[in-house]
Structures are given as structure tokens and as C-alpha cells.
């Protein structure tokens, strides 16, 4: 794949280290940040270099300790009341300032709404590229030290590996749930440095007055239990059965694309290649056949339980436990049993 790679003529030797943007909201880091630190650690070790993290926000000092516990060697903190809410301009200015000062060879962001916005804004100002929405990240060792950023392409039919041969830093956003965070290690030690902002008044001109939470939204990426349903449910009403089971288990409801396309449930519930990639502790696949476009989004779940009336359904190849039978009988019985315990 990379036989054709040539060592570039530019001297990027001053650029070293992997930098992870730790995304937070109200002082809580998004899990994708720790997943990226895990992958960043693997890349940094392969390149024999250091792993850095950056946290920007209002009251975020505690996150520096977390970033070290999840693998960072050095954490840059930029804390100020006016940085409490994410806005493109001040955050991207700070990131560019940091990149200029620290010269990382690789910078990674979660492919969240914020991560996509921020990485895109930075890439338009730096003479470098950005690979969006990656699902695989690897590196070539010396001398090229190239980031091999892979993502689905051509209507998700093939994987493309995108290289940034000419410039540094090499930047990518990565999907949540794809990479594994390292186990938290509170004994790890790391350096914490303050990033002094060089922002002017103009950079923080836009003010956030209020956040209105969408009460109907579902957070699949952070859910520990997902009860997902597919075409086998036969219509929107059967999702009520799944909601009851999810409620009893403290989880949320997911869906296959077939169920979403049929209009039985909103797209924010969709798991898979064109939906969310999830990594819950427990995933129920109910009336879902197990098409590859679905399983790429959920096969990293710790425990998968499939319920399907077809014993040959491909989902059983991924499931740790399988129940062959009619979901309309099994799900209510399961909910009853969970409630009873
Ligand atoms: P089906 O494949 O129709 O399976 C329904 C299952 O329900 C069957 O296995 C059946 O045995 C079972 N069943 C029926 N009745 C019962 C019952 N009473 N009790 C128990 N079991 C029952 N799909 C996704 O999910 N997510 C994606 O992000 C996604 N992205 C895609 C992107 C592209 C480019 C393409 C081409 C496809 C994508 N798909 C995606 C669609 C995917 O290929 C499948 O079509 C889809 O996942 C099938 O959904 P399903 O399993 O619910 O339906």
C-alpha cells in the first residue's frame, strides 16, 4: 500500500509528537477523547515520540489529570471563563497558537460536531490537509513518519488510506467508538503546562447566551447499554417493547438503517457505517440480520446478545449469546425478568 511513499524534500524534523484534542462540555470529556489518547499512545510508541493532549474550556483543570491517566505524557491546559463554551474562532486560534509553538507531527480530533468544525477551521489556516472521519489510524516509522489515515470511501464500498506527504502537522478526525481507550492508570505521571492565550477581543466576539438541551436526543456513543431493533420489528409500535427493555436496563434504544429508512425511528438512533459507531458494555440486536454495514458500528461492544427468528442470521456470528425465536415473545419476557430482579 505504501511502497510508493518517498521521503519528502521538506525538512519537518522539528515537528515531533502526537497531539490529541480533548473535547469537553461542562467539564466532562467526551469518551472519544480517551479513545483517541489510547490510539495516540500506540502511534507515539511506534514513532518513539511523546503523546500530548490539549484541553480548552472554563473549569477544566481536573481533566489534565485524567488525560495523563489515559496515556498523555504532557497536557496543555487553556482555562478561562470566556472559553467555557465552544466557539470556532477562539478555539481554532488557540489550537493554531499551540501547533505553532509545539510543532506536533500529528494532531487528532474526535469526529464529533465540534471536532469536525474545529479541525476544519484549523486546516483552512494551516498549509496542511485534514482526513475526516477516519476509522483506522497507523503510522510508518522513520524516515517517513507518515500518518496512515484510513476511512470508508466510494459510498462506503472500499477503504481509502490518505497520506499527507508534504506538510506538517498531519491531521485527522476519527470516529467515536472505533479505538479503545487504555485502562485508566492513576499512577502515571505527566507534565501539565498552561497555554497562555494570545487572543484578542475580536477572537471572542460571538457570545453564547444559552444552551437548550434537546430532550428527545439520544446519546448512543456514551451509552453503556443499547437495545437496538431492525426490520424484524415490523413497524414503529414494536419499538415501545425495546424502550421498555432499555428503560429497565438503564440503556437507550438503537436501530438498524432499515428501521430508520422505514421511518419507524429517528436517524439519531442509527448504528452502523452511516450511523454511529458504538462501544457499549451490552448491545442487544433484535430483529437485525447483521449486515456488514450494521456490524461495523457495533462489533466492538463488550457483550452482544442477538434475538432473531432465523438461526442462520449473520448476526449470530458476532453475538456472544444468541436467542433463536420470535422477538415479540422473547423481549417482553426478558423485560419482565429484568424488572423482577
Ligand atoms: P433485515 O436485513 O431485513 O433483517 C431483519 C431481520 O429480522 C432478519 O434477520 C429476520 O430473520 C429478523 N426477524 C424478522 N421477524 C422477526 C421476529 N418476529 N423475531 C425475531 N427476528 C425477526 N445498515 C445499518 O444498520 N446501519 C448503517 O449505518 C448502514 N449503512 C449502510 C450504508 C450503505 C452504503 C449501504 C449500501 C447499506 C447500509 N446499511 C446500513 C443497510 C444494510 O446493508 C442492511 O440493509 C440493514 O442493516 C438491514 O437492516 P435489518 O437487519 O434491520 O433488516
Amino acid at each position: 500500500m505504501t511502497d510508493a511513499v518517498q521521503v519528502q524534500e521538506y525538512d519537518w524534523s522539528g515537528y515531533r509528537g502526537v497531539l490529541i484534542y480533548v473535547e469537553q462540555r461542562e467539564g466532562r470529556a467526551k469518551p472519544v477523547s480517551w479513545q483517541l489518547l489510547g490510539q495516540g499512545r500506540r502511534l507515539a510508541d511506534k514513532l518513539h515520540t511523546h503523546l500530548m493532549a490539549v484541553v480548552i474550556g472554563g473549569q477544566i483543570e481536573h481533566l489534565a489529570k485524567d488525560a495523563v491517566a489515559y496515556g498523555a505524557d504532557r497536557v496543555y491546559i487553556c482555562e478561562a471563563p470566556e472559553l467555557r463554551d465552544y466557539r470556532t474562532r477562539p478555539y481554532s486560534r488557540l489550537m493554531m497558537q499551540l501547533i505553532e509553538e509545539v510543532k506536533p507531527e500529528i494532531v487528532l480530533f474526535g469526529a464529533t460536531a465540534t471536532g469536525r468544525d474545529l479541525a476544519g477551521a484549523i486546516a483552512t489556516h494551516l498549509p496542511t490537509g485534514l482526513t475526516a472521519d477516519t476509522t483506522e489510524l497507523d503510522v510508518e516509522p522513520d524516515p517517513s513518519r507518515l500518518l496512515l489515515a484510513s476511512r470508508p470511501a466510494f459510498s462506503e464500498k472500499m477503504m481509502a488510506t490518505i497520506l499527507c506527504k508534504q506538510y506538517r502537522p498531519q491531521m485527522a478526525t476519527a470516529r467515536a467508538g472505533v479505538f479503545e481507550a487504555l485502562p485508566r492508570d492513576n499512577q502515571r505521571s505527566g507534565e501539565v503546562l498552561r497555554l497562555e492565550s494570545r487572543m484578542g477581543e475580536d477572537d471572542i466576539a460571538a457570545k453564547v447566551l444559552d444552551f437548550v438541551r434537546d430532550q428527545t436526543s439520544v446519546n448512543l456513543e456514551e451509552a453503556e447499554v443499547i437495545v437496538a431493533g431492525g426490520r424484524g420489528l415490523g413497524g414503529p409500535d414494536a419499538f415501545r417493547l425495546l424502550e421498555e427493555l432499555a428503560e429497565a436496563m438503564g440503556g437507550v434504544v438503537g436501530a438498524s438503517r432499515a428501521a430508520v429508512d422505514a421511518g419507524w425511528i429517528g436517524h439519531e438512533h442509527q448504528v452502523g457505517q452511516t450511523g454511529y459507531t458504538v462501544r457499549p458494555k451490552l448491545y442487544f440486536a433484535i430483529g437485525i440480520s447483521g449486515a456488514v454495514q450494521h456490524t461495523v458500528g457495533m462489533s466492538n461492544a463488550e457483550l452482544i446478545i442477538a434475538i432473531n427468528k432465523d438461526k442462520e442470521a449473520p448476526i449470530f456470528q458476532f453475538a456472544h449469546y444468541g436467542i433463536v425465536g420470535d422477538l415479540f415473545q422473547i423481549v417482553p419476557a426478558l423485560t419482565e425478568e429484568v424488572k423482577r430482579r
Side-chain angles (χ1 to χ4, degrees):
M1 173 181 55
T2 53
D3 289 353
V5 169
Q6 291 159 7
V7 182
Q8 67 274 20
E9 57 210 73
Y10 301 89
D11 179 18
W12 298 110
S13 53
Y15 282 73
R16 278 290 182 270
V18 178
L19 175 66
I20 307 296
Y21 173 70
V22 174
E23 184 179 335
Q24 58 83 32
R25 168 72 66 89
E26 293 171 354
R28 279 191 62 220
K30 293 250 175 194
V32 67
S33 307
W34 308 145
Q35 294 160 9
L36 275 182
L37 272 175
Q39 188 62 11
R41 182 75 267 162
R42 290 169 205 114
L43 302 181
D45 288 348
K46 211 166 159 184
L47 291 171
H48 304 290
T49 189
H50 50 289
L51 177 63
M52 300 170 280
V54 51
V55 198
I56 303 172
Q59 290 184 322
I60 42 137
E61 198 141 355
H62 58 286
L63 293 176
K65 207 165 146 232
D66 292 345
V68 170
Y70 281 111
D73 300 313
R74 191 187 307 152
V75 186
Y76 293 93
I77 285 277
C78 193
E79 192 176 52
E82 64 272 21
L83 292 170
R84 196 193 65 176
D85 302 312
Y86 172 77
R87 275 149 305 147
T88 313
R89 196 160 162 156
Y91 273 55
S92 60
R93 291 286 160 100
L94 279 167
M95 285 299 290
M96 285 189 289
Q97 180 190 323
L98 182 66
I99 289 169
E100 202 177 288
E101 286 173 17
V102 173
K103 296 190 176 13
E105 58 197 305
I106 294 171
V107 187
L108 303 175
F109 308 78
T112 59
T114 298
R116 286 180 172 131
D117 181 66
L118 179 60
I122 297 166
T124 54
H125 284 95
L126 295 179
T128 189
L130 168 70
T131 307
D133 230 10
T134 57
T135 54
E136 287 172 24
L137 291 167
D138 201 356
V139 281
E140 283 214 332
D142 283 326
S144 81
R145 300 177 75 85
L146 280 170
L147 176 68
L148 311 175
S150 304
R151 52 156 297 150
F154 292 105
S155 303
E156 323 263 329
K157 289 193 180 66
M158 60 185 287
M159 289 295 281
T161 299
I162 295 155
L163 311 178
C164 177
K165 291 192 203 170
Q166 302 280 316
Y167 301 107
R168 296 291 180 272
Q170 305 164 90
M171 302 211 301
T173 63
R175 281 196 197 184
V178 173
F179 301 109
E180 202 171 351
L182 296 172
R184 190 189 168 96
D185 180 358
N186 292 326
Q187 306 307 316
R188 282 194 91 253
S189 56
E191 204 181 350
V192 178
L193 298 172
R194 271 181 196 284
L195 175 64
E196 294 306 335
S197 152
R198 282 196 251 122
M199 277 190 312
E201 273 298 306
D202 283 356
D203 293 317
I204 47 175
K207 304 239 178 323
V208 177
L209 299 179
D210 196 8
F211 268 112
V212 181
R213 230 173 262 281
D214 178 1
Q215 300 296 342
T216 60
S217 75
V218 58
N219 193 344
L220 286 177
E221 286 171 339
E222 294 182 29
E224 296 204 334
V225 177
I226 297 176
V227 180
R231 201 180 341 241
L233 268 70
D237 296 345
F239 271 97
R240 185 69 210 127
L241 295 178
L242 269 53
E243 277 165 23
E244 278 172 29
L245 178 57
E247 212 172 290
M249 304 221 42
V252 299
V253 172
S256 73
R257 179 162 160 180
V260 171
D261 284 354
W264 300 344
I265 189 164
H267 180 261
E268 67 276 14
H269 294 266
Q270 186 178 315
V271 174
Q273 208 166 290
T274 43
Y276 286 98
T277 304
V278 297
R279 194 183 266 278
K281 291 204 165 111
L282 176 58
Y283 188 89
F284 283 94
I286 302 174
I288 292 177
S289 61
V292 62
Q293 294 90 353
H294 185 81
T295 54
V296 289
M298 46 66 81
S299 55
N300 282 331
E302 270 177 44
L303 188 72
I304 299 169
I305 300 177
I307 303 172
N308 199 300
K309 68 179 183 185
D310 175 9
K311 68 175 175 24
E312 306 293 338
I315 193 71
F316 288 126
Q317 291 163 21
F318 296 86
H320 301 95
Y321 294 97
I323 306 172
V324 180
D326 184 357
L327 71 91
F328 292 96
Q329 289 174 1
I330 295 161
V331 176
L334 201 58
T335 308
E336 263 323 293
E337 189 57 28
V338 174
K339 281 186 183 162
R340 206 176 56 77
R341 285 175 183 226

